[in-house]
């Protein structure tokens, strides 16, 4: 392409006449500098056009800029980008007081880019700034064949490379249902509602099994902007508080029946998805990038498309939407904030699923007990 631009400006220049391959043409639209004077085109001899120097990093001013930050257009070298990204996460953590020394923290690990980067950044910052955290990976197996089994393999590799313990909790063990069975029962539309509630409750249950009272998740700025738009389109303003809050809490019960609050936080709340991908690339982090087989039917996809269109026009739109959601959430009265117990919501969803008898008459047995047995098992777990 650059060679064609050059020939358009200077017809006498011909890469073929000079015996040049396409890869030999300079990225800056001028012939390579290693040609001797006899090989250089007449146009260069006449006009003595200078070769454009590489753009320096906006911070260190010494290394060549390799990255243009999607958030603000800043041009940075690899080292400065990694440092700035980590520093911004550190400022988010300290500004909101997310951790305290000696705390055991579970990182919700799905194998995707967000949770993989979150675990890597927390490990780095924990050592650099002496947080004093005891980190463990907590993964949820929803029972989606051909998707979650592959992503869990990526989680196991990351856990081994990072030297972090890994604990896996499955829907089948907790609820007697896998997501494949739920979709077979309720259809593809609306299944993300079941999965989202079940996953949040599973994280709390897994934290209780580990004796952990703080779970961090990889929700980024793009995720929060999508959630704000979804709630606005649904007219569900009371949920904005939980959606935009960097810290939320919900009751979880241990096997002994004791209930305690599980704190959930989002250290990547103000990090752009594109910058998370860049960080993973330049750190050489391996992650699972296949989309869930059921997500194309989700309403979130429409909100995501809208956010991406806004970002193309105005890159700051993502954080603008998040900040607007935070402002609107503060206007919602606490008594109508809609913060229900994920335990009770998950129970209601479980009881709404068909029983084994219904499944046998329809699409085949699900291999689970009746609603009454599910409710009894849930009461033993939750202490409700």
């Amino acid at each position: 392409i650059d060679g064609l631009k050059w020939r358009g400006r200077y017809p006498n220049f011909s890469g073929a006449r000079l015996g040049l391959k396409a890869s030999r043409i300079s990225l800056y639209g001028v012939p390579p500098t290693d040609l001797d004077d006899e090989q250089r085109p007449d146009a260069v001899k006449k006009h003595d056009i200078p070769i454009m120097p590489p753009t320096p990093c906006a911070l260190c001013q010494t290394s060549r800029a390799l990255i243009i930050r999607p958030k603000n257009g800043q041009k940075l070298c690899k080292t400065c980008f990694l440092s700035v990204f980590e520093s911004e996460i550190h400022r988010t953590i300290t500004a909101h007081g997310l951790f305290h020394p000696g705390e055991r923290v579970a990182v919700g690990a799905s194998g995707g880019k967000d949770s993989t980067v979150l675990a890597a950044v927390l490990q780095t910052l924990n050592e650099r700034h002496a947080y004093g955290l005891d980190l463990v990976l907590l993964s949820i197996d929803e029972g989606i064949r051909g998707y979650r089994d592959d992503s869990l393999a990526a989680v196991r590799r990351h856990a081994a490379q990072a030297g972090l313990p890994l604990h896996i909790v499955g829907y089948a063990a907790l609820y007697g249902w896998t997501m494949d069975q739920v979709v077979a029962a309720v259809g593809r539309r609306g299944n993300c509602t079941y999965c989202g509630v079940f996953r949040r409750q599973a994280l709390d249950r897994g934290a209780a099994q580990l004796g952990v009272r703080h779970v961090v998740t990889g929700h980024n700025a793009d995720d929060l902007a999508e959630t704000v738009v979804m709630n606005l389109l649904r007219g569900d303003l009371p949920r904005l508080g939980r959606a935009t809050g960097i810290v939320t809490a919900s009751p979880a019960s241990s096997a002994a029946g004791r209930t305690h609050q599980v704190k959930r936080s989002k250290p990547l709340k103000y990090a752009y998805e594109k910058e998370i991908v860049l960080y993973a690339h330049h750190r050489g982090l391996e992650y699972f990038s296949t989309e869930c087989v059921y997500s194309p039917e989700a309403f979130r996809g429409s909100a995501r498309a809208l956010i991406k269109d806004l970002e193309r026009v105005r890159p700051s739109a993502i954080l603008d939407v998040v900040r607007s959601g935070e402002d609107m959430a503060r206007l919602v009265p606490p008594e109508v904030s809609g913060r229900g117990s994920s335990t009770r919501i998950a129970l209601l969803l479980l009881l709404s699923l068909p029983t084994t008898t219904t499944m046998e008459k329809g699409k085949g047995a699900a291999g689970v007990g009746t609603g009454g047995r599910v409710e009894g098992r849930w009461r033993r777990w939750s202490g409700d």
Side-chain angles (χ1 to χ4, degrees), residues 192-228:
C192 287
T193 300
Y194 287 89
C195 191
V197 175
F198 291 166
R199 189 188 305 111
R200 286 191 290 273
Q201 175 62 18
L203 283 173
D204 292 342
R205 293 292 306 145
Q209 293 174 6
L210 291 169
V212 171
R213 299 201 175 192
H214 189 176
V215 176
V216 293
T217 58
H219 293 91
N220 56 49
D222 296 57
D223 296 329
L224 268 69
E226 293 164 10
T227 303
V228 170

Side-chain angles (χ1 to χ4, degrees), residues 3 6-7 13-21 25:
W6 179 267
R7 285 193 293 274
F13 170 67
S14 170
R17 180 170 61 83
L18 295 175
L20 299 176
K21 295 181 179 180
I25 297 176

